[in-house]
Amino acid sequence: MQRCYKVALQMAAVAGVRALQRLHQPGIFQRCFGLIPAQLTPTCLPRRLCTAPTGSKERKQPDTPENVSLVENLNLMGVDVKMVRLRQPGVLRKAFTNEQAVALFLDKKGAPTNMIASIISRYPRAITRSVQHLEQRWVLWRKIFNTDEEIMIVLYRSPESFFRTSNNANFDNNITFLTSLGLDTKDLHRLLTTAPRTFSNSLVLNKRMVAFLEEICAELGGNNPEQFPKAVISRNPYILIRSTKRVRTNIDILRASLMLSNSELLHLFQGPGAEIMDLSSECLKNNFLSLEQKMVAVGCQKADIKKLILSFPMILFIGKDTLSSKLDCLLKGGITMEQIVRKPKVLEYSTQNISGRLEELKRVGYDFQDKGINVLDSSQKRFDAKIERLDA
């Protein structure tokens, strides 16, 4: 994680690193960004720290002019104002913002100037948050992450995940609720890094999805509905930010398309099939039809299609053209559909990767009918070692 963090910092900051070494000295932070120095007080932010237009009160109409002082400050900080206008233009019309204090907060957490500018450019509403709010949010994130560096990596990659909501109490309540389901810190870490909106959902919304999953488990004859949500969420971190309607539709599509029994559906969703529960229903339907058409065209039966999906449900994420390309590549390389159905994970690799491996194996005279296709479903390191042994 330390190495990842260093790489993130190097990418984010090329010219600003030396300046950071002195940022914590009095007055240096303001000079670094080129802002007018101001004396901070506990109760009142200075004008340059809390930007306000000169003169009239802020108007709430859509034609409210941009806050010129704010735009100047953001430019001096290296923020991409054009990007701000595209993403959240309303921020530039606000009478009071907190850009310098937010920048100072991020600086103290280890973010260099270029990283700070990038974060604000991509999620401008960050400058509307108070330092008190941010400190409280940081403490909550530390319940999930082990170090400040881990938080900065996620925050830089997805600023929205940290700044999106101002409701820290709701965030904390969601942590407590998710933990009560049996999810551990590792699960929460994955949720926050891949589907951060889970924590800005209202607690009621998350509870609704959990209750729905328990209901599905009971409908399918499951013996322990209380454990079912944990099993699904652990495998599919996106499920809590989807609608119950979408999940219900997908269950109905899979049941009808594959003629699955309740026990088969339950077994599917308790395993890898949990990952397809939140797939776009239209996408699920179209990808199933294209898979079915392709397999029937090469002589497969419906039982083969069912076996393939139950053993490798992720195949339903593969679009028509990509799937066709991969299957054609394998079939031309001497692999049979029977072998693919038995070892479907070979389809996880790109067509280019499959093609390259087939060429190498052909060169060394590898016999797929005699030795099988396991060699295609291996890491690059293991594959290269295999080729080296066969070459010897």
Side-chain angles (χ1 to χ4, degrees):
M1 185 59 72
Q2 291 282 351
R3 290 181 58 192
C4 294
Y5 181 65
K6 290 178 180 177
V7 170
L9 294 185
Q10 288 170 359
M11 293 174 62
V14 176
V17 175
R18 292 179 182 173
L20 275 173
Q21 296 171 351
R22 301 183 298 117
L23 278 176
H24 295 295
Q25 300 173 20
I28 293 295
F29 187 82
Q30 288 83 356
R31 292 199 296 275
C32 178
F33 280 125
L35 304 178
I36 296 174
Q39 184 165 357
L40 306 183
T41 66
T43 56
C44 181
L45 293 173
R47 175 171 166 171
R48 280 291 187 174
L49 183 59
C50 185
T51 312
T54 304
S56 61
K57 295 181 180 179
E58 180 190 26
R59 290 177 294 163
K60 295 183 179 180
Q61 291 84 352
D63 60 347
T64 302
E66 288 184 352
N67 183 336
V68 176
S69 179
L70 170 58
V71 173
E72 289 176 355
N73 262 1
L74 295 179
N75 277 319
L76 289 171
M77 293 168 65
V79 173
D80 186 339
V81 176
K82 289 183 179 179
M83 186 182 293
V84 173
R85 290 191 179 105
L86 287 173
R87 290 174 177 260
Q88 294 165 356
V91 171
L92 297 177
R93 295 193 292 270
K94 287 189 174 293
F96 297 99
T97 52
N98 211 21
E99 63 276 8
Q100 189 176 339
V102 170
L104 184 57
F105 169 83
L106 293 172
D107 160 60
K108 288 180 178 178
K109 299 301 182 183
T113 53
N114 286 21
M115 180 183 279
I116 294 169
S118 174
I119 289 170
I120 296 173
S121 298
R122 289 178 289 130
Y123 197 76
R125 287 198 188 100
I127 65 174
T128 66
R129 305 301 183 213
S130 71
V131 173
Q132 181 183 13
H133 160 81
L134 297 180
E135 291 288 5
Q136 291 171 349
R137 174 56 55 89
W138 199 273
V139 170
L140 291 174
W141 276 47
R142 279 303 300 266
K143 289 184 177 182
I144 299 173
F145 295 98
N146 293 323
T147 67
D148 288 352
E149 293 172 346
E150 288 183 291
I151 295 177
M152 277 308 311
I153 290 171
V154 178
L155 196 158
Y156 178 64
R157 187 172 68 229
S158 175
E160 181 180 4
S161 64
F162 188 81
F163 293 105
R164 185 173 188 266
T165 177
S166 60
N167 192 339
N168 284 332
N170 181 72
F171 190 99
D172 196 20
N173 289 337
N174 274 321
I175 292 177
T176 301
F177 173 63
L178 294 170
T179 302
S180 74
L181 300 178
L183 297 171
D184 57 24
T185 303
K186 183 179 178 181
D187 294 319
L188 296 181
H189 187 290
R190 186 174 180 224
L191 280 170
L192 194 49
T193 53
T194 56
R197 197 149 51 87
T198 298
F199 294 89
S200 58
N201 276 353
S202 70
L203 181 60
V204 171
L205 191 62
N206 284 337
K207 285 186 173 183
R208 186 180 302 155
M209 175 57 82
V210 167
F212 171 75
L213 292 174
E214 291 176 347
E215 179 185 324
I216 290 298
C217 181
E219 285 179 10
L220 299 177
N223 295 323
N224 199 348
E226 304 82 39
Q227 291 299 312
F228 186 66
K230 176 190 173 183
V232 173
I233 297 168
S234 296
R235 287 184 173 271
N236 186 347
Y238 300 99
I239 194 73
L240 289 170
I241 60 175
R242 306 304 187 207
S243 69
T244 55
K245 180 181 179 181
R246 173 187 288 195
V247 177
R248 171 67 75 180
T249 301
N250 288 347
I251 293 172
D252 292 341
I253 290 173
L254 289 168
R255 189 200 301 272
S257 301
L258 297 174
M259 303 295 290
L260 296 176
S261 65
N262 284 348
S263 60
E264 286 175 322
L265 275 171
L266 184 62
H267 181 73
L268 175 66
F269 295 140
Q270 286 176 327
E275 297 186 56
I276 62 172
M277 290 180 78
D278 74 310
L279 187 62
S280 158
S281 300
E282 195 65 28
C283 183
L284 178 66
K285 190 185 301 182
N286 291 339
N287 287 353
F288 172 79
L289 288 174
S290 63
L291 172 64
E292 183 180 47
Q293 290 168 2
K294 183 67 177 179
M295 291 187 68
V296 168
V298 295
C300 292
Q301 303 298 315
K302 286 192 175 182
D304 298 318
I305 301 170
K306 180 176 179 178
K307 181 179 179 181
L308 177 60
I309 293 175
L310 290 179
S311 61
F312 185 55
M314 296 298 287
I315 195 172
L316 293 174
F317 277 99
I318 305 176
K320 178 179 179 180
D321 293 340
T322 302
L323 177 66
S324 182
S325 174
K326 289 182 179 184
L327 289 176
D328 287 344
C329 182
L330 288 165
L331 294 172
K332 288 177 183 178
I335 313 298
T336 66
M337 274 306 303
E338 184 182 359
Q339 289 175 307
I340 295 172
V341 170
R342 286 202 306 264
K343 298 290 182 181
K345 284 192 174 182
V346 67
L347 295 170
E348 287 185 330
Y349 297 88
S350 67
T351 304
Q352 182 179 3
N353 183 288
I354 293 170
S355 178
R357 291 189 174 194
L358 289 174
E359 286 290 330
E360 284 289 294
L361 291 166
K362 181 180 179 182
R363 181 180 61 79
V364 298
Y366 192 86
D367 186 348
F368 291 112
Q369 302 312 312
D370 180 43
K371 299 178 181 178
I373 67 172
N374 283 345
V375 65
L376 291 173
D377 180 22
S378 61
S379 68
Q380 190 62 46
K381 184 178 180 180
R382 289 186 177 181
F383 179 80
D384 291 341
K386 180 75 172 180
I387 294 296
E388 189 175 337
R389 288 196 300 272
L390 293 172
D391 255 339

Short mmCIF file of all heavy atoms in Angstrom, two decimals, residues 114-161:
data_model
loop_
_atom_site.label_atom_id
_atom_site.label_comp_id
_atom_site.label_asym_id
_atom_site.label_seq_id
_atom_site.Cartn_x
_atom_site.Cartn_y
_atom_site.Cartn_z
N ASN A 114 -0.54 19.81 -6.37
CA ASN A 114 -1.17 19.37 -7.62
C ASN A 114 -2.30 18.38 -7.37
O ASN A 114 -3.29 18.36 -8.08
CB ASN A 114 -0.13 18.74 -8.56
CG ASN A 114 0.77 19.78 -9.19
OD1 ASN A 114 0.89 20.89 -8.68
ND2 ASN A 114 1.41 19.43 -10.29
N MET A 115 -2.14 17.55 -6.36
CA MET A 115 -3.19 16.60 -6.01
C MET A 115 -4.41 17.34 -5.48
O MET A 115 -5.56 17.01 -5.81
CB MET A 115 -2.69 15.59 -4.97
CG MET A 115 -3.73 14.56 -4.57
SD MET A 115 -3.18 13.43 -3.27
CE MET A 115 -2.23 12.26 -4.23
N ILE A 116 -4.17 18.35 -4.65
CA ILE A 116 -5.27 19.15 -4.10
C ILE A 116 -6.04 19.83 -5.22
O ILE A 116 -7.28 19.81 -5.26
CB ILE A 116 -4.72 20.20 -3.11
CG1 ILE A 116 -4.13 19.50 -1.87
CG2 ILE A 116 -5.82 21.19 -2.69
CD1 ILE A 116 -3.33 20.42 -0.97
N ALA A 117 -5.31 20.41 -6.17
CA ALA A 117 -5.96 21.08 -7.30
C ALA A 117 -6.79 20.09 -8.11
O ALA A 117 -7.90 20.40 -8.55
CB ALA A 117 -4.90 21.74 -8.18
N SER A 118 -6.26 18.89 -8.31
CA SER A 118 -6.97 17.87 -9.08
C SER A 118 -8.25 17.43 -8.37
O SER A 118 -9.30 17.27 -9.00
CB SER A 118 -6.06 16.66 -9.30
OG SER A 118 -6.76 15.61 -9.93
N ILE A 119 -8.17 17.26 -7.07
CA ILE A 119 -9.34 16.84 -6.28
C ILE A 119 -10.46 17.88 -6.39
O ILE A 119 -11.62 17.54 -6.65
CB ILE A 119 -8.95 16.62 -4.81
CG1 ILE A 119 -8.09 15.36 -4.67
CG2 ILE A 119 -10.19 16.54 -3.91
CD1 ILE A 119 -7.46 15.19 -3.31
N ILE A 120 -10.11 19.14 -6.22
CA ILE A 120 -11.12 20.21 -6.28
C ILE A 120 -11.66 20.36 -7.70
O ILE A 120 -12.86 20.61 -7.89
CB ILE A 120 -10.54 21.54 -5.76
CG1 ILE A 120 -10.19 21.40 -4.27
CG2 ILE A 120 -11.52 22.69 -5.98
CD1 ILE A 120 -9.46 22.60 -3.69
N SER A 121 -10.80 20.20 -8.71
CA SER A 121 -11.24 20.30 -10.10
C SER A 121 -12.29 19.25 -10.42
O SER A 121 -13.28 19.52 -11.10
CB SER A 121 -10.05 20.12 -11.05
OG SER A 121 -9.07 21.12 -10.87
N ARG A 122 -12.09 18.04 -9.91
CA ARG A 122 -12.99 16.92 -10.23
C ARG A 122 -14.23 16.87 -9.34
O ARG A 122 -15.25 16.31 -9.74
CB ARG A 122 -12.21 15.60 -10.17
CG ARG A 122 -11.22 15.46 -11.32
CD ARG A 122 -10.41 14.17 -11.23
NE ARG A 122 -9.45 14.21 -10.13
CZ ARG A 122 -9.33 13.25 -9.23
NH1 ARG A 122 -10.13 12.20 -9.25
NH2 ARG A 122 -8.41 13.33 -8.28
N TYR A 123 -14.12 17.42 -8.13
CA TYR A 123 -15.30 17.48 -7.26
C TYR A 123 -15.33 18.83 -6.55
O TYR A 123 -14.98 18.95 -5.37
CB TYR A 123 -15.32 16.34 -6.24
CG TYR A 123 -16.70 16.16 -5.66
CD1 TYR A 123 -17.70 15.54 -6.40
CD2 TYR A 123 -17.02 16.62 -4.39
CE1 TYR A 123 -18.99 15.41 -5.89
CE2 TYR A 123 -18.30 16.49 -3.88
CZ TYR A 123 -19.28 15.88 -4.64
OH TYR A 123 -20.55 15.75 -4.15
N PRO A 124 -15.77 19.87 -7.27
CA PRO A 124 -15.75 21.25 -6.75
C PRO A 124 -16.51 21.45 -5.44
O PRO A 124 -16.15 22.33 -4.67
CB PRO A 124 -16.38 22.06 -7.89
CG PRO A 124 -16.14 21.23 -9.12
CD PRO A 124 -16.23 19.81 -8.67
N ARG A 125 -17.55 20.67 -5.20
CA ARG A 125 -18.32 20.86 -3.96
C ARG A 125 -17.48 20.62 -2.71
O ARG A 125 -17.90 20.94 -1.61
CB ARG A 125 -19.55 19.94 -3.94
CG ARG A 125 -20.65 20.38 -4.90
CD ARG A 125 -21.99 19.75 -4.55
NE ARG A 125 -22.96 20.02 -5.59
CZ ARG A 125 -23.31 19.17 -6.54
NH1 ARG A 125 -22.75 17.97 -6.58
NH2 ARG A 125 -24.20 19.49 -7.46
N ALA A 126 -16.30 20.07 -2.91
CA ALA A 126 -15.41 19.85 -1.77
C ALA A 126 -15.14 21.15 -1.02
O ALA A 126 -15.01 21.16 0.21
CB ALA A 126 -14.09 19.25 -2.25
N ILE A 127 -15.12 22.28 -1.73
CA ILE A 127 -14.76 23.55 -1.09
C ILE A 127 -15.93 24.16 -0.32
O ILE A 127 -15.80 25.24 0.26
CB ILE A 127 -14.23 24.58 -2.12
CG1 ILE A 127 -15.31 24.98 -3.12
CG2 ILE A 127 -13.00 24.04 -2.83
CD1 ILE A 127 -14.88 26.10 -4.06
N THR A 128 -17.06 23.46 -0.30
CA THR A 128 -18.20 23.95 0.49
C THR A 128 -18.24 23.28 1.86
O THR A 128 -19.09 23.61 2.68
CB THR A 128 -19.53 23.69 -0.23
OG1 THR A 128 -19.76 22.27 -0.33
CG2 THR A 128 -19.52 24.29 -1.63
N ARG A 129 -17.34 22.33 2.11
CA ARG A 129 -17.33 21.62 3.38
C ARG A 129 -16.51 22.36 4.43
O ARG A 129 -15.49 22.98 4.11
CB ARG A 129 -16.75 20.20 3.21
CG ARG A 129 -17.45 19.37 2.15
CD ARG A 129 -18.91 19.20 2.43
NE ARG A 129 -19.57 18.34 1.43
CZ ARG A 129 -20.80 18.48 1.05
NH1 ARG A 129 -21.55 19.44 1.56
NH2 ARG A 129 -21.32 17.66 0.16
N SER A 130 -16.94 22.28 5.67
CA SER A 130 -16.19 22.90 6.75
C SER A 130 -15.08 21.96 7.21
O SER A 130 -15.17 20.74 7.05
CB SER A 130 -17.12 23.20 7.94
OG SER A 130 -17.51 22.00 8.58
N VAL A 131 -14.05 22.52 7.79
CA VAL A 131 -12.94 21.71 8.30
C VAL A 131 -13.42 20.78 9.42
O VAL A 131 -13.00 19.63 9.51
CB VAL A 131 -11.79 22.61 8.78
CG1 VAL A 131 -10.71 21.78 9.47
CG2 VAL A 131 -11.19 23.38 7.61
N GLN A 132 -14.33 21.27 10.24
CA GLN A 132 -14.88 20.44 11.31
C GLN A 132 -15.55 19.20 10.74
O GLN A 132 -15.36 18.08 11.23
CB GLN A 132 -15.87 21.23 12.15
CG GLN A 132 -16.46 20.43 13.32
CD GLN A 132 -17.51 21.24 14.09
OE1 GLN A 132 -17.96 22.28 13.63
NE2 GLN A 132 -17.89 20.74 15.26
N HIS A 133 -16.34 19.41 9.68
CA HIS A 133 -17.00 18.29 9.02
C HIS A 133 -15.97 17.31 8.46
O HIS A 133 -16.11 16.08 8.60
CB HIS A 133 -17.89 18.80 7.89
CG HIS A 133 -18.23 17.76 6.87
ND1 HIS A 133 -19.21 16.84 7.04
CD2 HIS A 133 -17.66 17.50 5.66
CE1 HIS A 133 -19.27 16.04 5.99
NE2 HIS A 133 -18.35 16.41 5.14
N LEU A 134 -14.92 17.84 7.83
CA LEU A 134 -13.91 16.99 7.20
C LEU A 134 -13.13 16.19 8.25
O LEU A 134 -12.82 15.03 8.03
CB LEU A 134 -12.97 17.83 6.35
CG LEU A 134 -13.61 18.57 5.17
CD1 LEU A 134 -12.56 19.37 4.40
CD2 LEU A 134 -14.31 17.58 4.23
N GLU A 135 -12.83 16.81 9.35
CA GLU A 135 -12.12 16.11 10.43
C GLU A 135 -12.97 14.96 10.97
O GLU A 135 -12.48 13.86 11.23
CB GLU A 135 -11.75 17.07 11.56
CG GLU A 135 -10.68 18.11 11.20
CD GLU A 135 -9.28 17.50 11.08
OE1 GLU A 135 -9.15 16.26 11.18
OE2 GLU A 135 -8.33 18.28 10.86
N GLN A 136 -14.27 15.23 11.14
CA GLN A 136 -15.17 14.18 11.62
C GLN A 136 -15.26 13.04 10.60
O GLN A 136 -15.26 11.86 10.97
CB GLN A 136 -16.56 14.76 11.87
CG GLN A 136 -16.63 15.72 13.05
CD GLN A 136 -17.97 16.45 13.12
OE1 GLN A 136 -18.77 16.39 12.19
NE2 GLN A 136 -18.19 17.14 14.22
N ARG A 137 -15.32 13.39 9.31
CA ARG A 137 -15.40 12.39 8.26
C ARG A 137 -14.12 11.54 8.24
O ARG A 137 -14.16 10.32 8.05
CB ARG A 137 -15.63 13.07 6.91
CG ARG A 137 -15.60 12.16 5.68
CD ARG A 137 -16.58 11.00 5.76
NE ARG A 137 -17.94 11.43 6.01
CZ ARG A 137 -18.81 11.73 5.04
NH1 ARG A 137 -18.44 11.64 3.78
NH2 ARG A 137 -20.04 12.08 5.34
N TRP A 138 -12.99 12.20 8.44
CA TRP A 138 -11.71 11.48 8.44
C TRP A 138 -11.67 10.44 9.56
O TRP A 138 -11.22 9.31 9.36
CB TRP A 138 -10.55 12.46 8.59
CG TRP A 138 -9.23 11.90 8.16
CD1 TRP A 138 -8.35 11.18 8.91
CD2 TRP A 138 -8.66 12.00 6.85
NE1 TRP A 138 -7.26 10.84 8.16
CE2 TRP A 138 -7.42 11.32 6.90
CE3 TRP A 138 -9.05 12.61 5.66
CZ2 TRP A 138 -6.58 11.23 5.78
CZ3 TRP A 138 -8.22 12.51 4.56
CH2 TRP A 138 -7.00 11.83 4.61
N VAL A 139 -12.16 10.82 10.73
CA VAL A 139 -12.20 9.89 11.86
C VAL A 139 -13.07 8.68 11.52
O VAL A 139 -12.73 7.53 11.84
CB VAL A 139 -12.74 10.60 13.13
CG1 VAL A 139 -13.02 9.59 14.25
CG2 VAL A 139 -11.74 11.65 13.61
N LEU A 140 -14.18 8.91 10.84
CA LEU A 140 -15.07 7.81 10.45
C LEU A 140 -14.38 6.88 9.45
O LEU A 140 -14.49 5.65 9.55
CB LEU A 140 -16.36 8.36 9.84
CG LEU A 140 -17.30 9.09 10.80
CD1 LEU A 140 -18.47 9.70 10.04
CD2 LEU A 140 -17.82 8.14 11.88
N TRP A 141 -13.66 7.47 8.50
CA TRP A 141 -12.96 6.65 7.51
C TRP A 141 -11.85 5.82 8.16
O TRP A 141 -11.56 4.72 7.73
CB TRP A 141 -12.39 7.54 6.40
CG TRP A 141 -13.39 7.85 5.32
CD1 TRP A 141 -14.67 8.27 5.49
CD2 TRP A 141 -13.17 7.78 3.92
NE1 TRP A 141 -15.27 8.47 4.28
CE2 TRP A 141 -14.37 8.18 3.29
CE3 TRP A 141 -12.08 7.44 3.12
CZ2 TRP A 141 -14.50 8.23 1.91
CZ3 TRP A 141 -12.21 7.49 1.73
CH2 TRP A 141 -13.42 7.89 1.14
N ARG A 142 -11.27 6.37 9.23
CA ARG A 142 -10.21 5.63 9.91
C ARG A 142 -10.76 4.40 10.64
O ARG A 142 -10.01 3.53 11.08
CB ARG A 142 -9.45 6.53 10.87
CG ARG A 142 -8.39 7.41 10.22
CD ARG A 142 -7.34 6.61 9.45
NE ARG A 142 -6.62 5.68 10.29
CZ ARG A 142 -5.48 5.95 10.88
NH1 ARG A 142 -4.92 7.14 10.74
NH2 ARG A 142 -4.87 5.04 11.63
N LYS A 143 -12.08 4.31 10.78
CA LYS A 143 -12.67 3.09 11.32
C LYS A 143 -12.55 1.94 10.32
O LYS A 143 -12.64 0.76 10.69
CB LYS A 143 -14.16 3.32 11.64
CG LYS A 143 -14.44 4.22 12.83
CD LYS A 143 -15.94 4.27 13.09
CE LYS A 143 -16.27 5.11 14.32
NZ LYS A 143 -17.72 5.12 14.61
N ILE A 144 -12.37 2.30 9.05
CA ILE A 144 -12.32 1.32 7.97
C ILE A 144 -10.91 1.14 7.43
O ILE A 144 -10.47 0.02 7.17
CB ILE A 144 -13.28 1.72 6.84
CG1 ILE A 144 -14.73 1.77 7.38
CG2 ILE A 144 -13.18 0.77 5.66
CD1 ILE A 144 -15.73 2.32 6.39
N PHE A 145 -10.19 2.26 7.29
CA PHE A 145 -8.83 2.20 6.75
C PHE A 145 -7.80 2.24 7.88
O PHE A 145 -8.02 2.87 8.92
CB PHE A 145 -8.58 3.37 5.80
CG PHE A 145 -9.43 3.33 4.56
CD1 PHE A 145 -10.60 4.08 4.47
CD2 PHE A 145 -9.07 2.54 3.48
CE1 PHE A 145 -11.39 4.03 3.33
CE2 PHE A 145 -9.85 2.48 2.34
CZ PHE A 145 -11.00 3.23 2.26
N ASN A 146 -6.66 1.60 7.64
CA ASN A 146 -5.64 1.51 8.68
C ASN A 146 -4.77 2.76 8.78
O ASN A 146 -4.26 3.09 9.84
CB ASN A 146 -4.74 0.30 8.43
CG ASN A 146 -5.47 -1.01 8.61
OD1 ASN A 146 -6.31 -1.13 9.50
ND2 ASN A 146 -5.19 -1.99 7.76
N THR A 147 -4.57 3.47 7.66
CA THR A 147 -3.67 4.61 7.64
C THR A 147 -4.27 5.79 6.89
O THR A 147 -5.18 5.62 6.06
CB THR A 147 -2.32 4.25 6.97
OG1 THR A 147 -2.55 3.99 5.57
CG2 THR A 147 -1.70 3.02 7.62
N ASP A 148 -3.72 6.98 7.15
CA ASP A 148 -4.12 8.17 6.40
C ASP A 148 -3.75 8.02 4.92
O ASP A 148 -4.45 8.54 4.04
CB ASP A 148 -3.43 9.42 6.97
CG ASP A 148 -4.00 9.83 8.32
OD1 ASP A 148 -5.02 9.25 8.73
OD2 ASP A 148 -3.41 10.73 8.96
N GLU A 149 -2.66 7.33 4.66
CA GLU A 149 -2.21 7.15 3.28
C GLU A 149 -3.24 6.37 2.47
O GLU A 149 -3.51 6.70 1.30
CB GLU A 149 -0.87 6.42 3.27
CG GLU A 149 0.26 7.25 3.87
CD GLU A 149 1.53 6.46 4.02
OE1 GLU A 149 1.49 5.21 3.92
OE2 GLU A 149 2.57 7.08 4.24
N GLU A 150 -3.83 5.34 3.06
CA GLU A 150 -4.86 4.57 2.36
C GLU A 150 -6.05 5.46 2.02
O GLU A 150 -6.61 5.37 0.93
CB GLU A 150 -5.32 3.40 3.24
CG GLU A 150 -4.33 2.27 3.37
CD GLU A 150 -4.90 1.14 4.19
OE1 GLU A 150 -5.09 1.30 5.40
OE2 GLU A 150 -5.17 0.08 3.60
N ILE A 151 -6.44 6.30 2.95
CA ILE A 151 -7.56 7.21 2.71
C ILE A 151 -7.24 8.15 1.56
O ILE A 151 -8.08 8.38 0.68
CB ILE A 151 -7.90 8.02 3.99
CG1 ILE A 151 -8.38 7.09 5.10
CG2 ILE A 151 -8.98 9.08 3.68
CD1 ILE A 151 -8.68 7.79 6.41
N MET A 152 -6.03 8.70 1.54
CA MET A 152 -5.66 9.66 0.49
C MET A 152 -5.67 9.00 -0.88
O MET A 152 -6.05 9.63 -1.88
CB MET A 152 -4.28 10.26 0.77
CG MET A 152 -4.27 11.42 1.75
SD MET A 152 -5.44 12.78 1.34
CE MET A 152 -5.09 13.08 -0.37
N ILE A 153 -5.28 7.74 -0.96
CA ILE A 153 -5.29 7.04 -2.25
C ILE A 153 -6.71 6.96 -2.79
O ILE A 153 -6.97 7.24 -3.96
CB ILE A 153 -4.69 5.62 -2.10
CG1 ILE A 153 -3.18 5.71 -1.85
CG2 ILE A 153 -4.95 4.79 -3.35
CD1 ILE A 153 -2.54 4.39 -1.49
N VAL A 154 -7.66 6.58 -1.92
CA VAL A 154 -9.06 6.46 -2.34
C VAL A 154 -9.64 7.84 -2.63
O VAL A 154 -10.35 8.04 -3.62
CB VAL A 154 -9.90 5.75 -1.25
CG1 VAL A 154 -11.36 5.69 -1.65
CG2 VAL A 154 -9.35 4.35 -1.01
N LEU A 155 -9.34 8.80 -1.77
CA LEU A 155 -9.86 10.16 -1.93
C LEU A 155 -9.39 10.77 -3.25
O LEU A 155 -10.16 11.41 -3.97
CB LEU A 155 -9.40 11.02 -0.76
CG LEU A 155 -10.11 12.36 -0.51
CD1 LEU A 155 -9.90 12.79 0.93
CD2 LEU A 155 -9.58 13.44 -1.44
N TYR A 156 -8.13 10.54 -3.59
CA TYR A 156 -7.60 11.08 -4.85
C TYR A 156 -8.25 10.40 -6.05
O TYR A 156 -8.60 11.06 -7.03
CB TYR A 156 -6.08 10.89 -4.90
CG TYR A 156 -5.48 11.38 -6.21
CD1 TYR A 156 -5.53 12.73 -6.56
CD2 TYR A 156 -4.87 10.50 -7.09
CE1 TYR A 156 -5.00 13.18 -7.75
CE2 TYR A 156 -4.33 10.94 -8.28
CZ TYR A 156 -4.40 12.28 -8.60
OH TYR A 156 -3.87 12.73 -9.79
N ARG A 157 -8.43 9.09 -5.96
CA ARG A 157 -9.05 8.36 -7.06
C ARG A 157 -10.51 8.73 -7.22
O ARG A 157 -11.03 8.82 -8.33
CB ARG A 157 -8.91 6.86 -6.81
CG ARG A 157 -9.36 6.01 -8.00
CD ARG A 157 -9.04 4.54 -7.80
NE ARG A 157 -9.84 3.96 -6.73
CZ ARG A 157 -9.36 3.25 -5.74
NH1 ARG A 157 -8.07 3.04 -5.64
NH2 ARG A 157 -10.15 2.74 -4.81
N SER A 158 -11.21 8.94 -6.09
CA SER A 158 -12.64 9.25 -6.14
C SER A 158 -12.98 10.31 -5.10
O SER A 158 -13.46 9.98 -4.01
CB SER A 158 -13.45 7.97 -5.89
OG SER A 158 -14.83 8.26 -5.82
N PRO A 159 -12.75 11.58 -5.41
CA PRO A 159 -13.05 12.65 -4.46
C PRO A 159 -14.49 12.65 -3.97
O PRO A 159 -14.77 12.96 -2.82
CB PRO A 159 -12.74 13.92 -5.25
CG PRO A 159 -11.78 13.50 -6.31
CD PRO A 159 -12.18 12.10 -6.66
N GLU A 160 -15.40 12.25 -4.85
CA GLU A 160 -16.82 12.24 -4.49
C GLU A 160 -17.08 11.33 -3.29
O GLU A 160 -17.94 11.62 -2.45
CB GLU A 160 -17.66 11.79 -5.68
CG GLU A 160 -19.16 11.76 -5.40
CD GLU A 160 -19.98 11.31 -6.59
OE1 GLU A 160 -19.38 10.95 -7.62
OE2 GLU A 160 -21.21 11.31 -6.47
N SER A 161 -16.32 10.22 -3.20
CA SER A 161 -16.56 9.27 -2.12
C SER A 161 -16.36 9.90 -0.75
O SER A 161 -17.02 9.52 0.21
CB SER A 161 -15.63 8.06 -2.28
OG SER A 161 -14.27 8.44 -2.15
#
